[in-house]
Amino acid sequence: MAGRKVLIVYAHQEPKSLNGSLKSIAVEELSKQGCSITVSDLYAMQFEPRATRNDIVGCLHNSEEFNYGVETWEAYKRGSLSSDLVEEQKKVQEADLLIFQFPLYWFSMPAIMKGWMDRVLVQGFAHEFPNCYDSGLLKDKLALFSFTTGGSKEMYAKGGISGDIRYLLWPMQHGIMHFCGVKVLAPHICFAPEYVSEEKRKEMLIAWAQRLKTLWNEEPINCSPEWYFK
Amino acid sequence: MAGRKVLIVYAHQEPKSLNGSLKSIAVEELSKQGCSITVSDLYAMQFEPRATRNDIVGCLHNSEEFNYGVETWEAYKRGSLSSDLVEEQKKVQEADLLIFQFPLYWFSMPAIMKGWMDRVLVQGFAHEFPNCYDSGLLKDKLALFSFTTGGSKEMYAKGGISGDIRYLLWPMQHGIMHFCGVKVLAPHICFAPEYVSEEKRKEMLIAWAQRLKTLWNEEPINCSPEWYFK
């Protein structure tokens, strides 16, 4: 949809990877629709994942006992968060849709992307009690988790050895995005691309491009325990 | 139990924090029992959470297209993983029990600890298909997740707004530890220490010390979907 803004937070080391291609296809397809796209290419940016005192410029609120949550909240209010965080927060603020593109590492996102969540979505900016979940500060935004797995679809089926893939989406979709008020579109999952044919991988790319064509018509999922654990 | 070896992987920036105290109590109590304790203090070590080409010393297996999983597996086999990873793997190899001590960040561990999982538990060392889950390469070891939360026990109850706390343990306990063959002891959770009295916080520390006294008698949990989502 022309005019819509999309932030793609992308975590893969290799541009030639399937994740790299999925990211490029999203840029291409959404640009064609007239959207404006920003990509945070975390590895290329050498994005810092560690939550430390360096995230606060100048003096601390309480230098006797460092509390990251309190310090970043206070720093947000007085405009003294480190510039890399401010930059990411601006991108989030402007976006209508956040796409997270990554390979699944240990039933979750890679540490570099978890660090983006830990450091960017600070209290005051993304949530501020009681403004969380449905009244989170990032409401009116959409998010979509797009990722590749090592395990097969069968391993991630209900009753499969790795359990229903939805089980592992709970912390990311409910615990992070829903907590900030963001509405979540159905995840986009490419199962075990390393173990399929080149042709099958091409089909995965085509399927993603196809989905993006009508993405703006999709309804968010119902982000309740029933969706995950039914 | 005299002679047992324990590795504590600890992720908090502030030694005076409750997490810092919980870590110190574990060192003290387990030392008293005659265990030998190693602590990986991730922030103090400035542990690198990003999974990059730097984790492989020398030439790559395939320099045309970088694949982190394949490259670290190959590097493990030929002994060319970076020294910080080898150091952590030695600690894991020697340990009978791994304790992970951290504040819950976004329904999961802080990025610096996720990076420890991503980088240390490489294929060949911790798992190697079909040696995963019950036959993972780290079987005969125990793990325990000990963490503090921001939200209250009520928020993390079944039917609470944040869902049963067990939902978010699935990726960490099943997806990581069980996958590597490690048996998991019941988690140790201190709910919302920031919002309780100093006296209540002291009780939390005493409860942890008490539990540690009989820890070696505990049976691992039954790491199946029923435990998490029943």
Side-chain angles (χ1 to χ4, degrees):
Chain A
M1 302 265 272
R4 299 272 178 106
K5 288 179 177 160
V6 181
L7 171 61
I8 303 178
V9 183
Y10 164 68
H12 202 289
Q13 307 90 346
E14 175 57 65
K16 293 180 205 162
S17 63
L18 192 80
N19 273 278
S21 300
L22 290 162
K23 182 262 291 169
S24 298
I25 280 171
V27 172
E28 197 181 312
E29 176 55 37
L30 294 166
S31 297
K32 258 196 249 168
Q33 298 176 17
C35 300
S36 83
I37 326 288
T38 305
V39 177
S40 286
D41 182 342
L42 300 180
Y43 287 105
M45 294 157 73
Q46 298 184 48
F47 188 80
E48 171 61 73
R50 291 165 288 207
T52 71
R53 192 257 173 267
N54 298 336
D55 291 352
I56 299 98
V57 177
C59 293
L60 293 175
H61 177 71
N62 175 4
S63 58
E64 288 299 304
E65 196 177 322
F66 183 75
N67 180 314
Y68 186 78
V70 169
E71 291 296 340
T72 50
W73 186 13
E74 292 294 333
Y76 177 78
K77 287 189 279 189
R78 62 172 196 269
S80 57
L81 281 175
S82 67
S83 58
D84 62 332
L85 297 191
V86 174
E87 199 61 41
E88 293 306 300
Q89 290 178 342
K90 269 189 207 151
K91 296 177 193 172
V92 171
Q93 200 60 75
E94 287 175 5
D96 299 297
L97 167 65
L98 313 172
I99 296 177
F100 297 97
Q101 181 66 56
F102 58 99
L104 197 70
Y105 277 15
W106 290 119
F107 278 45
S108 183
M109 59 192 91
I112 200 170
M113 186 177 278
K114 180 56 165 55
W116 188 94
M117 305 287 177
D118 290 351
R119 298 177 63 235
V120 175
L121 303 176
V122 308
Q123 185 150 359
F125 170 69
H127 56 94
E128 187 158 12
F129 194 80
N131 291 314
C132 57
Y133 291 113
D134 290 346
S135 59
L137 301 178
L138 304 182
K139 58 179 185 290
D140 307 323
K141 297 185 190 300
L142 293 167
L144 191 163
F145 288 85
S146 174
F147 57 97
T148 58
T149 69
S152 67
K153 196 167 180 174
E154 292 66 39
M155 289 168 78
Y156 284 112
K158 210 175 170 75
I161 193 162
S162 295
D164 193 323
I165 192 86
R166 291 188 176 192
Y167 297 166
L168 61 81
L169 289 164
W170 173 258
M172 298 189 272
Q173 294 189 347
H174 179 75
I176 307 179
M177 287 300 129
H178 188 190
F179 189 87
C180 297
V182 179
K183 283 169 195 68
V184 176
L185 297 177
H188 198 84
I189 309 169
C190 294
F191 287 99
E194 288 186 51
Y195 307 101
V196 302
S197 65
E198 189 57 36
E199 198 180 314
K200 202 94 185 97
R201 273 197 296 281
K202 275 188 191 146
E203 286 172 22
M204 288 175 174
L205 297 176
I206 292 167
W208 178 224
Q210 278 302 116
R211 179 174 172 194
L212 289 166
K213 285 186 200 306
T214 55
L215 194 75
W216 300 105
N217 302 331
E218 291 186 18
E219 286 294 319
I221 65 162
N222 172 16
C223 208
S224 70
E226 288 66 41
W227 188 87
Y228 297 89
F229 313 117
K230 62 165 189 322
Chain B
M1 303 263 271
R4 299 272 177 109
K5 289 181 175 158
V6 181
L7 170 60
I8 304 178
V9 183
Y10 163 69
H12 202 288
Q13 307 90 347
E14 174 59 64
K16 293 180 205 161
S17 63
L18 191 80
N19 273 279
S21 300
L22 291 161
K23 182 261 291 170
S24 298
I25 280 172
V27 172
E28 197 181 312
E29 176 56 37
L30 294 166
S31 298
K32 258 195 251 168
Q33 297 175 18
C35 301
S36 84
I37 325 287
T38 304
V39 177
S40 286
D41 182 342
L42 300 181
Y43 287 105
M45 295 157 75
Q46 298 184 47
F47 188 80
E48 172 61 71
R50 290 165 289 206
T52 71
R53 192 256 174 268
N54 298 336
D55 290 352
I56 298 98
V57 177
C59 293
L60 293 176
H61 178 71
N62 175 5
S63 57
E64 288 299 303
E65 196 178 323
F66 182 74
N67 180 314
Y68 186 79
V70 170
E71 290 297 340
T72 50
W73 186 13
E74 292 293 332
Y76 176 78
K77 286 188 280 189
R78 63 173 195 269
S80 56
L81 280 175
S82 67
S83 58
D84 62 334
L85 297 191
V86 173
E87 199 61 43
E88 293 305 300
Q89 289 177 345
K90 270 189 207 150
K91 297 178 193 172
V92 171
Q93 199 60 74
E94 287 175 6
D96 299 298
L97 167 65
L98 313 172
I99 296 178
F100 297 96
Q101 181 66 56
F102 59 99
L104 197 68
Y105 276 15
W106 290 118
F107 278 44
S108 184
M109 59 192 91
I112 199 169
M113 185 176 280
K114 181 56 166 54
W116 188 94
M117 305 287 177
D118 291 352
R119 296 178 63 235
V120 175
L121 304 176
V122 306
Q123 185 151 358
F125 170 69
H127 56 93
E128 187 159 12
F129 194 80
N131 291 314
C132 57
Y133 291 112
D134 290 346
S135 58
L137 300 178
L138 304 181
K139 57 180 187 290
D140 306 323
K141 297 185 191 301
L142 293 167
L144 191 164
F145 288 85
S146 174
F147 57 97
T148 58
T149 69
S152 67
K153 198 167 180 174
E154 292 67 38
M155 289 168 77
Y156 283 112
K158 209 173 169 75
I161 193 161
S162 296
D164 192 323
I165 192 85
R166 292 188 176 192
Y167 297 166
L168 61 82
L169 289 164
W170 174 257
M172 298 188 273
Q173 294 188 346
H174 179 74
I176 307 178
M177 287 300 128
H178 187 191
F179 189 86
C180 297
V182 179
K183 283 169 195 68
V184 176
L185 297 176
H188 198 84
I189 309 170
C190 294
F191 287 99
E194 289 185 50
Y195 306 101
V196 302
S197 65
E198 189 57 36
E199 198 181 315
K200 203 95 186 93
R201 273 195 296 280
K202 275 188 192 144
E203 285 172 22
M204 288 175 175
L205 297 176
I206 292 167
W208 178 226
Q210 278 302 116
R211 180 175 172 192
L212 288 166
K213 285 187 201 305
T214 55
L215 195 75
W216 301 104
N217 302 332
E218 292 186 19
E219 286 295 319
I221 65 163
N222 172 16
C223 208
S224 70
E226 288 66 41
W227 188 87
Y228 297 90
F229 312 117
K230 58 158 195 322

